[in-house]
């Protein structure tokens, strides 16, 4: 089966969040299963692109309104990621360093989608599935069906995956002229709340849409930044498939980024060695329970409550627990955490920024991982932590609810709480501290965590079953 994944991000080429991890792993596992999967993404002037060789496989020009754009499709020569990687380069528009936040971002992503479709159409390719990820590629299902330029591809099945339904990529009708010639009687499929909404259009027009966890599929009906009624109407066409993790990259037995490799059999000694390395680096006491946070310091992650919750816990368990934060985001949250570090230098430390190697050491050396998310469509951090025998402390939402069972329940291995509040976070911390002091139970739970299978083998199979059902329907 020939599969094209369209995405704004793909690890390790360009990453902001979990979208990149998914797009960097799913096609690899599909390729390993014998399919012909490829990723198509915008060209970014970044380290991966500069350090690897690409062939120009296609050149042409397209229109963005009245603006004529020359574009080329570059293919990475060696398939070093485990799948074919194609970059869409448009000089002066899609050839910059950053992924997001340019004032002409709307034009960038429209042009990216048009260039992809022009390439596939003009080069006479016939994919079995076009899999679009988030709003950056959300216009493709509509254009395939309702632009006469792509009529040859109109019956190509499309899957649209929502990684975060809070971001729609919406823009005004004044930019309708940027699209290629379309059937104007179908513009209602682009409209939501008086503007063009790529995410809403994709939900309506894709053969099926998916979310990155079953619970998030239901939560979009309650909270999706204005699209709640749409998700209520389209619920029957949605499928929730939990993300997997790349167990080749995230494997404590082979991970080159951690201080001491370890397996399930040696989890206690292995984690202790990594904890000692981590605590030495950040001047903390490895004899105390170590609770960490890894991620963006933003509202949806509950990061605005971190400083208060950590301070409250440090005062309650005076000298008996350590906290360590790795992340960046809201300037006020960063400042609050820095002040906390100065107030409790022996019990708390902070690394402002993101460091992939350090993140691996956090997962390997922590005892507990805190995730007080308000919104978490799937979450990968809790899956990484489980893989390394680190117990996640999660709010019961989205994918966190689907992947973490409280250790107080049958077969459980984590700590769950209901609200993103200082009180609930502190209560979860208190449970963690008590559990840490019951070493026998903790080691049993660590082995249970590490034995769980959240690999992409499982998730990729579910996507392939979905693809095959769509191909059966269209043939």
């Amino acid at each position: 089966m020939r599969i094209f994944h369209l995405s704004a991000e793909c690890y390790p080429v360009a990453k902001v969040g979990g979208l990149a991890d998914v797009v960097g792993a799913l096609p690899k596992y599909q390729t390993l299963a014998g399919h012909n999967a490829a990723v198509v993404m915008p060209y970014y002037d970044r380290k991966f692109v500069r350090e690897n060789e690409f062939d120009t496989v296609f050149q042409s020009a397209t229109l963005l309104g009245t603006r004529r754009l020359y574009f080329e499709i570059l293919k990475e020569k060696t398939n070093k990621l485990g799948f074919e990687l194609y970059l869409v380069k448009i000089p002066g528009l899609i050839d910059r360093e950053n992924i997001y936040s340019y004032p002409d971002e709307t034009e960038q992503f429209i042009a990216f989608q048009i260039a992809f479709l022009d390439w596939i159409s003009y080069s006479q390719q016939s994919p079995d599935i076009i899999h679009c990820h988030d709003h950056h590629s959300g216009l493709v299902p509509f254009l395939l069906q309702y632009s006469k330029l792509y009529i040859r591809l109109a019956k190509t099945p499309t899957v649209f995956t929502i990684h975060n339904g809070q971001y729609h990529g919406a823009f005004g009708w004044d930019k309708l002229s940027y699209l290629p010639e379309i059937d104007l009687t179908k513009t209602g499929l682009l409209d939501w709340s008086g503007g063009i909404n790529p995410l809403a259009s994709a939900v309506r027009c894709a053969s099926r849409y998916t979310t990155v966890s079953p619970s998030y599929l239901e939560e979009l009906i309650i909270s999706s930044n204005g699209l709640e009624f749409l998700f209520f109407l389209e619920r029957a066409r949605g499928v929730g498939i939990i993300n997997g993790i790349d167990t080749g990259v995230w494997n404590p037995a082979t991970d080159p980024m951690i201080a001491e490799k370890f397996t399930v059999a040696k989890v206690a000694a292995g984690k202790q060695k990594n904890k000692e390395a981590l605590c030495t680096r950040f001047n903390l006491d490895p004899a105390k329970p170590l609770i960490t946070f890894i991620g963006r310091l933003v509202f949806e992650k509950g990061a605005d409550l971190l400083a208060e919750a950590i301070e409250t816990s440090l005062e309650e368990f005076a000298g008996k627990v350590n906290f360590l934060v790795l992340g960046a985001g809201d300037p006020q949250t960063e400042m609050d955490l820095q002040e906390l570090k100065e107030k409790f230098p022996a019990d708390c430390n902070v690394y402002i920024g993101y460091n992939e190697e350090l993140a691996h050491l956090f997962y390997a050396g922590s005892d507990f991982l805190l995730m007080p998310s308000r919104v978490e469509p799937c979450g990968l951090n809790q899956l990484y932590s489980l893989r390394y025998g680190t117990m996640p402390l999660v709010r019961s939402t989205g994918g966190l609810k689907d992947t973490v069972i409280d250790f107080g329940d049958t077969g459980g291995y984590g700590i769950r709480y209901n609200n993103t509040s200082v009180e609930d976070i502190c209560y979860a911390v208190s449970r963690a501290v008590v559990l840490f002091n019951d070493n026998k139970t903790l080691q049993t739970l660590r082995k249970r965590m590490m034995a769980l299978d959240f690999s992409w083998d499982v998730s990729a199979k579910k996507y392939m079953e979905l693809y095959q059902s769509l191909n059966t329907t269209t043939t």
Side-chain angles (χ1 to χ4, degrees):
M1 186 174 282
R2 179 58 164 164
I3 307 153
F4 281 106
H5 291 271
L6 270 67
S7 175
E9 301 178 37
C10 175
Y11 176 81
V13 186
K15 174 179 174 177
V16 170
L19 168 62
D21 291 316
V22 173
V23 178
L26 175 56
K28 178 164 71 174
Y29 281 78
Q30 291 173 334
T31 300
L32 288 171
H35 302 283
N36 187 0
V39 168
V40 184
M41 63 185 298
Y43 176 103
Y44 301 107
D45 185 15
R46 297 169 82 92
K47 181 180 178 182
F48 181 93
V49 176
R50 291 192 294 266
E51 292 182 354
N52 290 277
E53 294 187 18
F54 292 80
D55 288 322
T56 299
V57 297
F58 188 80
Q59 291 178 303
S60 187
T62 192
L63 290 174
L64 185 72
T66 58
R67 183 179 173 187
R68 188 168 181 82
L69 300 175
Y70 292 91
F71 72 90
E72 54 185 339
I73 307 296
L74 308 178
K75 181 180 185 294
E76 193 270 315
K77 282 187 175 183
T78 64
N79 286 5
K80 71 180 297 181
L81 301 183
F83 51 83
E84 294 177 12
L85 172 68
Y86 296 93
L87 306 181
V88 176
K89 184 176 184 180
I90 303 178
L93 187 63
I94 303 178
D95 58 355
R96 305 168 188 171
E97 181 179 0
N98 294 327
I99 303 173
Y100 306 121
S101 301
Y102 289 104
D104 56 356
E105 185 175 287
T106 295
E107 289 81 352
Q108 286 182 304
F109 288 119
I110 292 175
F112 163 61
Q113 294 171 83
I114 294 172
F116 164 75
L117 290 172
D118 284 358
W119 167 48
I120 296 298
S121 180
Y122 297 160
S123 58
Q124 296 295 302
Q125 298 186 60
S126 298
D128 296 295
I129 290 285
I130 296 177
H131 190 150
C132 304
H133 295 266
D134 270 350
H135 71 81
H136 321 101
S137 54
L139 296 173
V140 166
F142 174 86
L143 292 174
L144 280 173
Q145 296 174 66
Y146 302 115
S147 174
K148 67 180 182 180
L149 290 180
Y150 312 119
I151 193 167
R152 185 183 68 82
L153 298 165
K155 292 186 177 181
T156 304
T158 54
V159 171
F160 178 68
T161 294
I162 301 167
H163 298 263
N164 192 329
Q166 298 297 309
Y167 303 101
H168 305 167
F171 54 93
W173 282 102
D174 57 310
K175 295 183 179 180
L176 176 65
S177 62
Y178 291 161
L179 303 185
E181 185 178 349
I182 61 171
D183 181 349
L184 293 176
T185 68
K186 302 296 183 181
T187 53
L189 293 170
L190 296 171
D191 180 80
W192 192 266
S193 194
I196 296 174
N197 189 310
L199 188 139
S201 177
V203 169
R204 290 160 158 162
C205 297
S207 306
R208 294 293 289 275
Y209 75 91
T210 73
T211 60
V212 290
S213 71
S215 289
Y216 192 55
L217 182 66
E218 305 300 332
E219 289 174 8
L220 286 172
I221 298 172
I222 301 168
S223 176
S224 49
N225 198 15
L227 296 184
E228 292 80 9
F229 187 57
L230 172 67
F231 284 110
F232 171 76
L233 294 174
E234 300 289 346
R235 170 64 184 82
R237 298 181 57 253
V239 181
I241 300 176
I242 202 78
N243 283 339
I245 61 173
D246 189 336
T247 52
V249 173
W250 298 95
N251 184 356
T254 60
D255 193 336
M257 300 186 196
I258 64 178
E260 179 83 9
K261 299 177 179 64
F262 61 95
T263 61
V264 176
K266 303 235 179 126
V267 59
K271 286 194 69 64
Q272 186 60 29
K273 288 282 189 183
N274 283 286
K275 185 178 181 181
E276 289 169 0
L278 191 56
C279 288
T280 297
R281 179 164 178 174
F282 288 97
N283 300 312
L284 299 174
D285 182 357
K288 301 175 186 176
L290 177 59
I291 301 174
T292 58
F293 174 95
I294 304 170
R296 291 179 295 128
L297 301 177
V298 294
F299 181 80
E300 74 176 18
K301 298 293 183 183
D304 56 305
L305 303 180
L306 276 179
E308 184 180 351
I310 291 173
E311 183 170 14
T312 301
S313 295
L314 288 174
E315 290 173 346
E316 179 180 353
F317 296 101
K320 296 180 180 178
V321 62
N322 285 336
F323 286 90
L324 190 52
V325 175
L326 168 63
D330 174 63
Q332 184 61 52
T333 300
E334 292 180 1
M335 190 182 307
D336 292 344
L337 290 168
Q338 293 280 26
E339 290 175 359
L340 201 61
K341 167 185 170 181
E342 294 171 8
K343 186 174 180 179
F344 298 93
D347 304 306
C348 178
N349 212 326
V350 179
Y351 182 102
I352 299 298
Y354 186 74
N355 180 307
E356 187 77 16
E357 184 172 339
L358 189 54
H360 282 244
L361 185 59
F362 266 55
Y363 289 117
S366 303
D367 296 305
F368 303 95
L369 179 77
L370 186 59
M371 295 184 71
S373 304
R374 290 184 173 88
V375 179
E376 198 65 71
C378 175
L380 292 173
N381 288 13
Q382 82 278 16
L383 304 184
Y384 298 147
S385 73
L386 291 168
R387 179 80 166 148
Y388 287 73
T390 295
M391 179 175 284
L393 280 59
V394 305
R395 184 194 162 224
S396 295
T397 186
L400 301 180
K401 183 165 62 176
D402 291 334
T403 57
V404 178
I405 301 172
D406 192 275
F407 80 88
D409 298 330
T410 303
Y413 44 81
I415 293 176
R416 277 176 36 179
Y417 44 98
N418 291 326
N419 302 300
T420 300
S421 67
V422 171
E423 293 76 15
D424 276 31
I425 295 169
C426 291
Y427 180 62
V429 169
S430 70
R431 292 182 67 198
V433 172
V434 171
L435 178 60
F436 179 82
N437 292 313
D438 181 358
N439 187 61
K440 183 178 178 181
T441 301
L442 181 61
Q443 297 308 329
T444 298
L445 292 173
R446 282 176 171 173
K447 291 179 179 179
R448 185 178 296 171
M449 293 177 227
M450 292 183 69
L452 298 168
D453 185 2
F454 286 108
S455 71
W456 268 111
D457 291 314
V458 176
S459 301
K461 182 178 179 182
K462 292 181 180 178
Y463 275 112
M464 294 311 306
E465 290 170 352
L466 175 60
Y467 296 167
Q468 286 158 1
S469 72
L470 296 178
N471 269 275
T472 301
T473 302
T474 56
T475 54

